[in-house]
Amino acid sequence: MIKWVPIDQSAVDDRIARITARSIKGALKTDLLKLAVSMTDLTTLEGKDTAGKVMQLCRKALQPSSLVSVPPVAAVCVYPSHVKTAVQALTHSSVKVASVATGFPSGNTSLKIKCDETKRAVGDGAQEVDMVISRGKFLAGEYAYVTDEIAAIKNACGRARLKVILETGELGTLEHVRLASDLAIAAGADFIKTSTGKIQPAATLPVTFVMLEAIAEHYDKTGRQVGMKPAGGISTSKQALHYLTLVYEVLGQRWLTNEWFRFGASSLVNDLVLQMHKQQLGTYYNRDKISID
Amino acid sequence: MTAARIEVLKTYKLFINGQFPRAESGRVMSVRDSKGKLIANAGKASRKDLREAVSAARTAFSGWMNKSGYNRGQILYRLAEMIATKKLQLAEELISQGFQRTKALQNIEAAIDVLVYYSGWCDKYNQVVSTINPVAGVHNFSSAEPQGVVGIVAPKEGLLGMVAVLAPVIAGGNTAVLVCEYFPLTAITFAECIATSDMSAGVVNILTGELKELHPHIASHQEIQAVLFTGGDAATKKSMMSAASANVKRFNDWSRVRYLSPKLYHLTAFQEIKTTWHSVESGITSGQKY
């Protein structure tokens, strides 16, 4: 039984303020920047995506920089129509292929179409599926519908891991975010994810904090680990370090791996590489020398 | 009996990306008058402020470079107007930092004139330095392009010094980070003139602070394409030149240049000549052979 959890907005803000005030420097910063790269789902979700763009992104996923020592990213995240291209480009590598599905980004199609799309993406080789919940149904109070839908998609995923996008920017309140997190976790989500990146506000620290609390409580109760993926609007290293600090404080070391935490981002890696350059070589680097896409 | 009025004093901060933030480190430099009395605390920039300033200048560069020369000229003229309206305040600040009254006014008027001079060149210098060269069977076209972000060490010559090194840099479409160790109060009031002059945020960023602390970062920052050095000890110069070589920065040492009197070649010192080749066949005017 899912229950409504009241949330104290000012307490959340206070907690976040203490986290963002923290300063991370030196060797720890270097390690965390590397960790952040290895946790990134390098993403391209545009109508104008081409096979060429996806292949280019995959090359970048494998080797984000040729000048500083950087691990590959966690995954490449694309539309279902580009899964085959990405799978081919990333064969024999640790980089996974994630596909958005279920009528991304609005999610306004029938369950049958959503399941078919999911199966097709997985059939094409996607190891991870990023679905969107039906926000309209959620806001109308049809929680059972939302939960059943997630469960059906999870079933369609087979062995692929399922990330459930709550699209928190459309949910209105932190209480709704918590409720949607609980529903998604109960329905079998492997990851919960903040946003599609198409709606503002996308990922924020307060929203992430509330979702992490939901994950923590579920873990305490059942021992089942659920992953977290903030996505959208995270473009600087400083922001990434704030998120990692938050995850460490709420969930602990066990979540600080790309198996359980991801950043959904397109330009974050550029800034991480820029900062790593400063860390490793000692001078401020030139963003013109880093591939934009 | 009325109580003595408590004056409302201005906090002198930095000028980065069109805004006036406090120094990131929270540090200040004490500014004293000729009798040693504390008159203000000015912000003391750190390398992180420099990083922010360079980032802002880099972002502003394409917009400023792609403005028409005519429009850049209008904006520089507008800046001269803004300085003219703040003439009294600028004079008072120069006096409090050691200038004589007549010298202070002369300094400000000369600064206005320098701006007007360079504003006039904005849409003309390229005509003067560009060439068309008819070579065998082809023509090549050479024209000037700005270098990018320029790091400027401001000289110790009041407002005129700041304007005389800044104006030729930005007139040609570069963006700038101006580091002012001397006359910090003047630097920030000058920044207020810039902020109200129609110039886009980030085109000029002004940091008050100590050169000895900032110069290694100006010289080594890979997003700064040129350095304008106006004076300092030989060791500083050598160290800056050495660090600047890492990304082949142009290093302009103006310590022996009479930059206070404006010249076209001060402007073109921050331009690169780009040459493109076009094939031109002999019968071009006949309209027959294409």
Side-chain angles (χ1 to χ4, degrees), chain B residues 185-283:
Chain B
L185 309 190
T186 305
I188 295 309
T189 303
F190 175 42
E192 289 164 14
C193 299
I194 295 169
T196 48
S197 70
D198 303 334
M199 198 176 284
S200 321
V203 172
V204 176
N205 304 275
I206 299 183
L207 304 177
T208 53
E210 285 179 5
L211 184 61
K212 70 168 192 263
E213 186 181 337
L214 294 171
H215 80 76
H217 305 288
I218 300 169
S220 67
H221 199 308
Q222 307 275 296
E223 279 185 350
I224 295 182
Q225 275 78 31
V227 169
L228 169 48
F229 183 76
T230 53
D233 55 75
T236 304
K237 181 182 162 186
K238 192 174 175 209
S239 132
M240 284 186 82
M241 286 182 80
S242 159
S245 65
N247 70 331
V248 208
K249 279 187 188 64
R250 187 174 291 186
F251 189 90
N252 280 327
D253 178 8
W254 281 11
S255 45
R256 289 168 194 278
V257 173
R258 294 179 57 229
Y259 50 82
L260 295 184
S261 50
K263 293 285 183 307
L264 174 62
Y265 56 80
H266 296 162
L267 191 161
T268 54
F270 295 93
Q271 299 290 307
E272 280 174 8
I273 299 298
K274 182 175 176 184
T275 300
T276 49
W277 293 75
H278 288 268
S279 57
V280 179
E281 46 83 52
S282 56

Side-chain angles (χ1 to χ4, degrees), chain B residues 4 57 65 69 89 91 101 104 129 152 158 175 198 216 231 248 252 273:
Chain B
M65 173 181 83
Q89 182 190 342
R101 184 163 293 273
V129 299
I152 308 175
T175 56
D198 303 334
V248 208
N252 280 327
I273 299 298

Side-chain angles (χ1 to χ4, degrees), chain A residues 15-154:
Chain A
R15 178 85 185 261
I16 299 304
R18 270 180 283 149
I19 283 180
T20 53
R22 211 159 300 177
S23 169
I24 294 171
K25 291 189 193 304
L28 178 62
K29 181 174 176 184
T30 308
D31 289 350
L32 289 180
L33 291 174
K34 275 192 188 173
L35 184 65
V37 173
S38 77
M39 287 173 159
T40 302
D41 283 4
L42 200 57
T43 302
T44 182
L45 294 170
E46 288 171 15
K48 64 180 182 189
D49 286 347
T50 60
K53 166 93 190 279
V54 171
M55 280 191 275
Q56 189 186 345
L57 195 79
C58 292
R59 295 300 289 270
K60 184 170 177 178
L62 294 167
Q63 190 185 16
S65 169
S66 54
L67 291 158
V68 288
S69 139
V70 190
V73 304
V76 161
C77 184
V78 293
Y79 270 117
S81 51
H82 293 294
V83 168
K84 275 186 179 164
T85 311
V87 167
Q88 203 176 12
L90 296 169
T91 351
H92 306 305
S93 81
S94 63
V95 181
K96 298 188 166 60
V97 176
S99 171
V100 294
T102 73
F104 182 93
S106 74
N108 281 332
T109 58
S110 70
L111 181 58
K112 182 177 181 311
I113 291 176
K114 291 180 183 182
C115 288
D116 287 350
E117 195 186 19
T118 305
K119 281 178 190 153
R120 201 189 117 200
V122 174
D124 283 352
Q127 294 138 293
E128 300 176 352
V129 170
D130 289 28
M131 72 165 286
V132 286
I133 65 164
S134 299
R135 283 87 74 193
K137 298 280 186 190
F138 177 85
L139 293 171
E142 295 179 41
Y143 303 134
Y145 179 95
V146 174
T147 314
D148 290 350
E149 192 178 58
I150 299 168
I153 305 290
K154 170 71 186 165

Side-chain angles (χ1 to χ4, degrees), chain B residues 32-50:
Chain B
R32 295 176 187 279
D33 65 12
S34 52
K35 291 174 190 131
K37 189 181 150 229
L38 180 69
I39 48 176
N41 286 318
K44 186 173 174 187
S46 69
R47 67 177 172 85
K48 293 199 174 176
D49 296 307
L50 178 80

Side-chain angles (χ1 to χ4, degrees), chain A residues 1 8 17 37 61 68 104 114-115 146 173 189 193 228 232 237 288:
Chain A
M1 182 64 205
D8 181 344
V37 173
V68 288
F104 182 93
K114 291 180 183 182
C115 288
V146 174
T173 64
K193 172 175 168 184
M228 173 71 202
S237 302
D288 285 347

Side-chain angles (χ1 to χ4, degrees), chain A residues 6 13 17 26 64 66 91 123 125 147 149 152 164 202-203 212 218 250 270 273 281 291:
Chain A
D13 290 346
S66 54
T91 351
T147 314
E149 192 178 58
V164 178
L212 293 173
H218 183 74
V250 179
N270 298 341
V273 168
L281 305 175
S291 75

Side-chain angles (χ1 to χ4, degrees), chain A residues 25 274-275 278 282-289, chain B residues 47-48 51 55 58-59 217 220-223 225:
Chain A
K25 291 189 193 304
L274 209 60
Q275 297 309 318
K278 173 79 176 87
T283 57
Y284 287 120
Y285 201 52
N286 186 344
R287 72 184 96 164
D288 285 347
K289 296 191 178 169
Chain B
R47 67 177 172 85
K48 293 199 174 176
R51 178 191 63 191
S55 182
R58 174 63 187 73
T59 308
H217 305 288
S220 67
H221 199 308
Q222 307 275 296
E223 279 185 350
Q225 275 78 31

